[in-house]
Amino acid sequence: MKVLIVFAHPEARSLNGSLRDVAIRELEAQGHDVRVSDLYAEGWRSEVDRGDFPSLPIDARLGVAAASKQAFEAGTLTADVKGEIEKLLWADVLILQFPLWWFSMPAILKGWVDRVFAYGFAYGVGEHSDKRWGDRYGEGTLAGKRAMLIVTAGGWQDHYSARGINGPIDDLLFPINHGILYYPGYDVLPPFVVYQADRFDDAAFAAAAERLRMRMRTLATTSPIPYRRQNGGDYVIPSMQLRAGLESPEARGFALHLDRPDECGAADKPGVIRSTTNLRAVTA
Ligand code: FAD
């Protein structure tokens, strides 16, 4: 397989840098082709502005979505953005790796998404009608590919559990897993999460590295998080409300959008490989 790692940490000698190297070594040992977008090292520009749209007339009002659509269709996006889009089309698997900063991704990685996920590429795709609301949430340009997160967090695993004060990690990562990765079509694998990352020693690192190697060995066979497909009949169009009665009685909030909450890819259960079947195909 072809694997793209988008790496967002400012220090190569960090814990994240070491884990990235573990992942690369294991993937290459398995015969996979690996490319890395090292955002800090490459000086990635994180903010979207007029500079993203060199063909926009100087006196034109900037509407980011409209300009993105026009530039994507005309092939006039900037070279750095086009390069990342080419890598996304190349890769069978996308890995986003980052330290959890303020319960989310570092700004540089959010800016990579803002700039690279162009209109017509990652959103605004497909037929909009009374039967379909575009190709998104399980369909879209990147359908058929896999994606996963590698995340390090300073907090304890208990603090990110169902009743933990930080909120469940699956909820915190939902906007990334569901809103950014599932939206343009990826099958999203359960995230690999390292907790108490600031208190790492050699033993903790050895254990985390072994778990990560196992996740890299099972990239092709780990079952994706069973998010519901937008156009699979579970949602009313155009309100996009989940049809009544589909959810399990205890499901609330983000968990409503899981087809089988009990099989949810609850973060960091690396031993869980539920099936080699694509769950989406089964539920379609
Ligand atoms: P590093 O600082 O590089 O290393 C962490 C530890 O691992 C160090 O003790 C280091 O010696 C050790 N280490 C590194 N490499 C190795 C190796 N090869 N072998 C053995 N030991 C090694 N945490 C949360 O939980 N929630 C938040 O919302 C949150 N927000 C944050 C916001 C900011 C702005 C910052 C700076 C931190 C925040 N944190 C938060 C903590 C953050 O998630 C952790 O600091 C980060 O995940 C640690 O990863 P790192 O790669 O930066 O670790």
Side-chain angles (χ1 to χ4, degrees), residues 61 106 147 174 191 226 260 270 278:
R61 178 180 170 277
F174 182 90
R260 281 168 261 171
N278 179 335

Side-chain angles (χ1 to χ4, degrees), residues 160-183:
Y160 288 100
S161 64
R163 298 175 66 85
I165 189 162
N166 291 344
I169 193 74
D170 286 328
D171 283 4
L172 294 171
L173 298 179
F174 182 90
I176 304 173
N177 279 331
H178 188 264
I180 293 174
L181 297 174
Y182 191 56
Y183 191 104

Side-chain angles (χ1 to χ4, degrees), residues 9-274:
H9 195 289
E11 172 58 62
R13 293 162 295 176
S14 60
L15 176 61
N16 269 274
S18 296
L19 291 172
R20 174 194 59 182
D21 294 344
V22 165
I24 292 171
R25 275 197 297 274
E26 184 61 34
L27 289 167
E28 290 182 341
Q30 299 295 319
H32 302 308
D33 292 333
V34 183
R35 292 170 78 177
V36 178
S37 291
D38 187 340
L39 299 185
Y40 283 96
E42 294 165 17
W44 181 262
R45 192 169 68 80
S46 59
E47 66 277 10
V48 178
D49 61 18
R50 297 186 81 89
D52 276 57
F53 313 110
S55 61
L56 187 72
I58 198 151
D59 56 347
R61 178 180 170 277
L62 172 62
V64 171
S68 176
K69 181 173 193 280
Q70 193 279 329
F72 176 71
E73 287 174 353
T76 57
L77 288 165
T78 54
D80 57 349
V81 170
K82 284 200 276 194
E84 295 304 298
I85 288 176
E86 180 270 318
K87 288 186 214 170
L88 289 173
L89 293 172
W90 169 86
D92 302 306
V93 181
L94 168 67
I95 295 175
L96 302 182
Q97 183 183 350
F98 58 92
L100 196 68
W101 282 359
W102 289 108
F103 301 98
S104 188
M105 54 173 69
I108 199 168
L109 181 55
K110 176 59 164 47
W112 177 87
V113 177
D114 289 346
R115 297 185 59 223
V116 174
F117 278 30
Y119 192 125
F121 173 64
Y123 68 106
V125 176
E127 169 196 330
H128 269 77
S129 67
D130 56 352
K131 298 202 172 45
R132 298 181 62 81
W133 202 256
D135 294 346
R136 57 175 199 168
Y137 293 120
E139 297 172 291
T141 305
L142 299 164
K145 299 172 183 284
R146 302 184 143 221
M148 72 174 273
L149 306 180
I150 296 178
V151 183
T152 62
W156 296 21
Q157 186 162 4
D158 279 352
H159 302 183
Y160 288 100
S161 64
R163 298 175 66 85
I165 189 162
N166 291 344
I169 193 74
D170 286 328
D171 283 4
L172 294 171
L173 298 179
F174 182 90
I176 304 173
N177 279 331
H178 188 264
I180 293 174
L181 297 174
Y182 191 56
Y183 191 104
Y186 282 111
D187 287 330
V188 185
L189 306 186
F192 176 87
V193 184
V194 164
Y195 297 96
Q196 291 182 268
D198 295 318
R199 296 176 179 274
F200 255 46
D201 55 20
D202 288 349
F205 182 80
E210 188 45 39
R211 289 196 295 118
L212 182 57
R213 280 191 282 270
M214 193 280 290
R215 288 299 305 269
M216 295 299 99
R217 285 196 291 275
T218 54
L219 270 186
T221 54
T222 300
S223 295
I225 301 171
Y227 293 130
R228 297 176 189 277
R229 294 179 67 152
Q230 170 181 271
N231 295 313
D234 287 1
Y235 297 92
V236 179
I237 297 175
S239 70
M240 303 316 303
Q241 300 274 307
L242 182 65
R243 289 184 193 282
L246 290 183
E247 71 275 24
S248 58
E250 66 278 4
R252 296 279 182 283
F254 294 140
L256 289 172
H257 305 290
L258 293 166
D259 201 9
R260 281 168 261 171
D262 51 326
E263 293 187 17
C264 164
D268 210 23
K269 288 184 183 164
V272 182
I273 303 169
R274 296 171 193 89

